[in-house]
Amino acid sequence: MADSAQLAGACDVVFSTVTSSSALDAARQTAPFLGPRHLYADLNSVSPALKRDIGAVIAGSGASFAEAAVMAPVAPYGHRVPMLVGGPSARRFVDTMLPFAMRLDVVEGQIGTAAAIKKMRSGALIAAPGTPQCPVSAPRPNLLWCWIRPFRAGLPPYDHVLLPAWRARRRWNWPVRLCRR
C-alpha cells in the first residue's frame, strides 16, 4: 500500500507494527482514515501510558482499539507467537483472528494492562536466578496472577538449577513458582 488511506480502504483490521518511537505517529497518521468498521491492533512494544495515548487517538476516529503484547520472539512461532490482548476491543480482535489459529489471551483492565504485564515479565526474566522473593510487584493484587495464568499449563516445575536453560529457551514459568504464596 502506498499510504494509510489506501490501507484503511483495503482492510478492516490494521496491525501497527512499527518501531516503538514511531507508534504514536503511526496511529496519528492512520486515524483520519479509520471509521467504525475498523479495528486497530497495536502490537508495538511500548509503555502502558503510550498504549493509552495511542488508544485515545484511535478512539477519536471511531475505530475500535486493541493492544497486543507479543510475549516471545516472533521467529520460531510466526503468526502463532503468544500474545496478550487488552483494551476495549480485545475480544473482538480475538474473535476476528480465530480463523488464523493465533495464540491470543485476553487480559481484563484498562488499555495498557497487557503492556504492563509484558514489562513485568521482561523485568522478571532479567532478575537474578534463585531470587527467593517475587522480583516484581503489581499495581493491583490480581495483575500478577493475570500475568501468570496464561503460561501455567504444561510447564515444568521451577528448579533454580535449571533456570539458565529455561531462560535460554525463553520459558516463562519460573515466576509462577517464585511468586506463588
Side-chain angles (χ1 to χ4, degrees):
M1 300 285 151
D3 58 22
S4 296
Q6 278 188 325
L7 177 68
C11 67
D12 293 333
V13 180
V14 176
F15 286 81
S16 175
T17 56
V18 298
T19 61
S20 56
S21 61
S22 301
L24 185 57
D25 290 337
R28 287 180 179 144
Q29 177 183 335
T30 307
F33 307 105
L34 301 178
R37 75 178 174 96
H38 291 104
L39 173 58
Y40 188 95
D42 186 280
L43 280 71
N44 300 299
S45 183
V46 297
S47 71
L50 188 53
K51 288 279 188 180
R52 287 189 288 276
D53 292 345
I54 293 167
V57 168
I58 298 304
S61 72
S64 299
F65 177 78
E67 66 161 318
V70 179
M71 301 301 287
V74 175
Y77 301 101
H79 76 285
R80 291 189 38 82
V81 65
M83 288 188 248
L84 298 180
V85 183
S89 297
R91 298 227 182 258
R92 177 180 170 201
F93 179 75
V94 170
D95 291 344
T96 302
M97 296 297 110
L98 192 62
F100 304 102
M102 296 173 74
R103 296 172 60 191
L104 306 171
D105 288 305
V106 173
V107 294
E108 303 299 329
Q110 66 180 358
I111 295 172
T113 301
I117 293 168
K118 177 179 180 165
K119 297 291 183 190
M120 286 178 12
R121 183 201 55 94
S122 296
L125 289 176
I126 293 168
T131 305
Q133 70 278 350
C134 183
V136 294
S137 59
R140 295 192 331 254
N142 66 338
L143 186 58
L144 187 59
W145 174 245
C146 180
W147 165 46
I148 291 169
R149 189 177 50 218
F151 304 108
R152 288 186 62 181
L155 298 174
Y158 172 72
D159 180 343
H160 72 280
V161 174
L162 298 177
L163 182 60
W166 285 347
R167 288 177 68 179
R169 291 191 312 258
R170 300 199 187 274
R171 299 287 180 136
W172 308 314
N173 62 318
W174 70 272
V176 173
R177 300 287 290 180
L178 283 176
C179 300
R180 191 179 299 154
R181 298 187 192 240

